[in-house]
Amino acid sequence: MEQRRQKLTLHASLQPKTKMSKTSIFMKDVVRDKYLYLLLLPGLLYLLVFKYLPMYGVVIAFKDYNILMGVMESPWVGFEQFQRLFRTPDFMQIFMNTFIISFLKLLFGFPAPIIIALLLNELRNMAFKRFTQSVLYLPHFLSWVVFAGIITAFLNPVDGVVNFIIKAFDGTPIDFLTSKEYFRSILVSTEVYKEMGWGTIIYLAAMTGVNPDMYEAARIDGANKLQQMWHITLPAIRPVILIMLILSLGNILEAGFLQVYLLYNPLVYDVADIIDTYVYRRGIQEANYSLATAAGVFKSVIALVLIYTANKIVKKSGNEGLW
């Protein structure tokens, strides 16, 4: 009897185990890590309430929305709002302004944190390194309202620091914020300065995963610091760089509403008016909600196409994408 029981036990152990369903595995994980999921809950609720539920308002772009009639009762007009948008005389100029400003911010702003992270990674004086990092991170934590006030004070044509230096060298004061020639440069340079310190955190974190033995081997082979950066550090953090590039391309039409709105004026509309400020004027100030929503939907569709295309290209090249 005992021998038979042992045989049955051995036979059962040799049988292939039935696979658990994905739902069962997920529920098991939830029970095991219930406190971690509770910590995740507020973030999920925030996304649901403030990001996903408002998507219902997109239907306004396909209606002749009347605030008194409400979303459901307002008449459908199909793509009429989009046709009106594209027929607007200034829309093409607004679209080009948005694209140019965003492209310049990407061109100069994307490599800036990578370069700074590479330089900070080579510092061996930890006290100076931490101080430098703190100074670089600080502008990120200032709101654009405060930062725009600082920029305006520095560029004031009467008593601003910049014009004080220009006058000290017998130059003529320049009203930078009303000059079409300088305004885009101001937008790009201030955006890069404000955000480059924060971007270095991601790349410095990625660099901590690089094997130190690789640097030692490179030094033995006679590689200098620049060669080590180029052949070891950059290839090691390439997946992170590509993911950040995909996300940046998805925001190519996000030219920075607050920054532009707080700094621009009618004298520079020709070079500074972007889709977001146009949406604000038409949607909020003129109460043309349907047309403003159509402009926002148009921008979102362009962003979706760009991020999908960039992700496909990255995956085709043999690297990991976002999905």
Side-chain angles (χ1 to χ4, degrees):
M1 191 70 178
E2 183 65 26
Q3 290 180 350
R4 185 179 179 186
R5 188 182 296 112
Q6 290 177 354
K7 286 182 179 180
L8 289 173
T9 304
L10 178 63
H11 179 74
S13 64
L14 293 176
Q15 292 298 315
K17 295 180 179 179
T18 56
K19 292 184 177 179
M20 295 178 65
S21 66
K22 292 182 178 180
T23 305
S24 300
I25 295 173
F26 175 71
M27 293 307 298
K28 186 178 179 180
D29 289 342
V30 170
V31 173
R32 184 189 62 200
D33 302 323
K34 52 184 176 295
Y35 297 113
L36 294 178
Y37 280 98
L38 283 175
L39 291 174
L40 182 65
L41 189 60
L44 292 176
L45 288 175
Y46 168 80
L47 290 175
L48 177 65
V49 173
F50 294 102
K51 299 296 182 180
Y52 285 94
L53 291 180
M55 285 184 182
Y56 171 73
V58 169
V59 298
I60 295 174
F62 304 94
K63 291 192 168 194
D64 185 11
Y65 178 68
N66 187 313
I67 194 170
L68 298 177
M69 299 174 65
V71 177
M72 298 300 296
E73 299 299 327
S74 297
W76 285 93
V77 294
F79 290 95
E80 183 179 321
Q81 300 294 347
F82 292 92
Q83 294 172 359
R84 288 178 57 198
L85 178 68
F86 298 140
R87 286 198 299 263
T88 301
D90 298 331
F91 181 74
M92 188 51 63
Q93 180 64 46
I94 292 167
F95 176 76
M96 289 305 300
N97 288 341
T98 306
F99 180 79
I100 291 171
I101 293 171
S102 299
F103 177 76
L104 290 174
K105 286 182 177 180
L106 179 64
L107 181 64
F108 293 101
F110 184 76
I114 301 174
I115 295 170
I116 292 172
L118 288 170
L119 296 176
L120 288 174
N121 192 51
E122 297 300 324
L123 291 177
R124 293 297 171 259
N125 187 326
M126 297 307 297
F128 179 72
K129 182 178 181 178
R130 284 193 290 268
F131 173 76
T132 305
Q133 286 177 308
S134 300
V135 171
L136 290 172
Y137 299 160
L138 182 61
H140 172 79
F141 296 100
L142 296 177
S143 71
W144 268 113
V145 176
V146 176
F147 204 67
I150 295 172
I151 295 168
T152 304
F154 267 74
L155 299 180
N156 191 296
V158 178
D159 55 4
V161 174
V162 176
N163 277 297
F164 177 80
I165 296 172
I166 291 174
K167 287 186 285 187
F169 287 92
D170 296 327
T172 304
I174 302 171
D175 193 351
F176 291 97
L177 295 179
T178 61
S179 172
K180 297 179 183 179
E181 182 181 358
Y182 297 105
F183 194 79
R184 283 179 180 169
S185 301
I186 293 169
L187 291 178
V188 175
S189 58
T190 53
E191 170 76 15
V192 172
Y193 173 70
K194 187 175 185 297
E195 300 298 335
M196 66 181 178
W198 180 253
T200 59
I201 296 176
I202 299 171
Y203 298 111
L204 283 172
M207 289 175 191
T208 59
V210 182
N211 189 348
D213 293 339
M214 298 178 68
Y215 292 109
E216 184 66 27
R219 282 193 293 269
I220 293 172
D221 290 338
N224 57 33
K225 290 292 185 183
L226 186 60
Q227 290 170 330
Q228 291 174 38
M229 289 181 190
W230 185 259
H231 295 288
I232 297 176
T233 310
L234 282 176
I237 66 172
R238 182 174 61 181
V240 177
I241 294 174
L242 290 174
I243 289 174
M244 296 301 293
L245 179 61
I246 294 171
L247 294 174
S248 298
L249 288 174
N251 294 324
I252 192 66
L253 293 183
E254 294 288 342
F257 167 73
L258 267 180
Q259 180 195 21
V260 176
Y261 180 72
L262 292 169
L263 292 176
Y264 84 153
N265 56 78
L267 294 176
V268 293
Y269 273 4
D270 290 346
V271 297
D273 199 17
I274 59 174
I275 293 176
D276 289 337
T277 53
Y278 175 78
V279 167
Y280 174 78
R281 288 201 312 275
R282 297 302 301 268
I284 303 300
Q285 295 182 337
E286 299 179 15
N288 196 338
Y289 302 110
S290 293
L291 188 64
T293 306
V297 171
F298 169 74
K299 188 181 74 169
S300 299
V301 170
I302 296 295
L304 177 63
V305 171
L306 286 174
I307 199 169
Y308 180 81
T309 305
N311 190 71
K312 276 287 188 182
I313 293 172
V314 168
K315 293 186 72 174
K316 288 287 185 181
S317 64
N319 297 282
E320 288 190 16
L322 288 176
W323 64 86

